[in-house]
Amino acid sequence: QVQLVESGGGLVQAGGSLRLSCAASRSIFSIYTVGWYRQAPGKQRELVALIFAGGSTNYGDSVKGRFTVSRDNAKNTVYLQMNTLKPEDTAVYYCNLHQLGIWGQGTQVTVSS
């Protein structure tokens, strides 16, 4: 199975930006749908963004216009650029390969007021 590793999380002030990375152990993102999800303590996991193999994208309503998902197939990496961060964006962020049903371990994003 493919291994996924998320990175790039951290502590940032409201209005700031972070870029998350989801790195795969081999070249796969050109053929798989990749989703970014997040989960705050005590909350349901929610969809943040999707990027399909063909390059089209979808976003959750709460992040539309602020977040951008992209990929670099040569680097086996999917990115989530997060701008204009809000405290309610605080969560653990995960990437997922839909066709394989595998997840990374997540990266913590904390946005302070």
Side-chain angles (χ1 to χ4, degrees), residues 43-55:
K43 305 293 184 180
Q44 291 186 331
R45 185 170 296 185
E46 66 171 327
L47 175 67
V48 176
L50 291 172
I51 184 165
F52 299 92

Side-chain angles (χ1 to χ4, degrees), residues 42-100:
K43 305 293 184 180
Q44 291 186 331
R45 185 170 296 185
E46 66 171 327
L47 175 67
V48 176
L50 291 172
I51 184 165
F52 299 92
S56 61
T57 58
N58 286 326
Y59 297 92
D61 289 340
S62 63
V63 308
K64 192 172 297 183
R66 299 187 297 121
F67 291 10
T68 303
V69 62
S70 62
R71 68 172 183 260
D72 186 335
N73 292 334
K75 296 181 178 179
N76 301 330
T77 303
V78 170
Y79 302 99
L80 183 68
Q81 179 67 47
M82 306 186 297
N83 298 325
T84 319
L85 283 161
K86 304 175 180 179
E88 52 262 44
D89 295 320
T90 296
V92 178
Y93 284 71
Y94 302 88
C95 61
N96 171 251
L97 272 63
H98 284 195
Q99 290 92 335
L100 297 178

